Amino acid sequence: MGPEAKFYKEIKRKLPEFSFIRIENSSLLGTPDLLVYNTSGHFCTVELKVSKGKKLRFSPHQIAFHKRHPDNTFILAKTLGPCFSKTSPISMYRGSRITELAACGLTLEACCLGLDACRLMLAQVGSKA
């Protein structure tokens, strides 16, 4: 089992209040890894990334997807190596920032640090603020 598959199992186990649908799509390149249904009845997508360093790799199709669909899309990253300043082992970024994330890696400021903060952000998708 690869690192992203292990990360998916961890997320599914630690965030049971959400419905996670793993998307395995070879016909529509760039589609995020997860379709998430939150407790408010709203959907979002999550791209999973696991890294040993500060760099995250994205395909041109993944970048294009997030640029075309900037709302309610997220990139959830797990660091296996040492953490960098302003990061935690798990950090989440808005999909609209994928170009910056591809360039800066995990040195880019995340919208959420840690799984509990990610849980709150996913729960708020679709709510009026």
Side-chain angles (χ1 to χ4, degrees):
M1 181 182 315
E4 283 184 9
K6 288 179 185 175
F7 188 27
Y8 166 66
K9 285 191 170 212
E10 175 186 355
I11 292 164
K12 194 169 178 175
R13 187 180 72 252
K14 292 183 177 178
L15 302 177
E17 65 271 30
F18 300 103
S19 173
F20 292 99
I21 301 162
R22 185 129 166 104
I23 301 171
E24 298 291 340
N25 194 338
S26 59
S27 62
L28 196 61
L29 299 174
T31 303
D33 298 313
L34 303 176
L35 180 63
V36 182
Y37 186 71
N38 70 12
T39 55
S40 302
H42 293 93
F43 286 100
C44 64
T45 61
V46 175
E47 178 66 39
L48 299 176
K49 291 293 176 186
V50 177
S51 176
K52 292 181 182 175
K54 71 175 186 174
K55 195 77 175 154
L56 296 176
R57 295 178 190 258
F58 296 98
S59 74
H61 299 288
Q62 289 171 323
I63 293 170
F65 180 93
H66 286 283
K67 288 175 82 173
R68 185 171 180 152
H69 308 284
D71 299 324
N72 297 336
T73 61
F74 300 95
I75 297 142
L76 189 57
K78 180 173 184 174
T79 307
L80 298 178
C83 292
F84 305 93
S85 64
K86 300 183 184 175
T87 65
S88 84
I90 295 177
S91 50
M92 191 160 71
Y93 303 84
R94 295 186 184 281
S96 60
R97 300 195 70 196
I98 192 164
T99 305
E100 295 167 270
L101 188 55
C104 301
L106 297 174
T107 60
L108 183 69
E109 188 173 349
C111 65
C112 299
L113 294 174
L115 205 49
D116 287 334
C118 295
R119 170 187 282 117
L120 292 173
M121 177 70 78
L122 293 174
Q124 292 173 358
V125 168
S127 65
K128 304 274 188 224

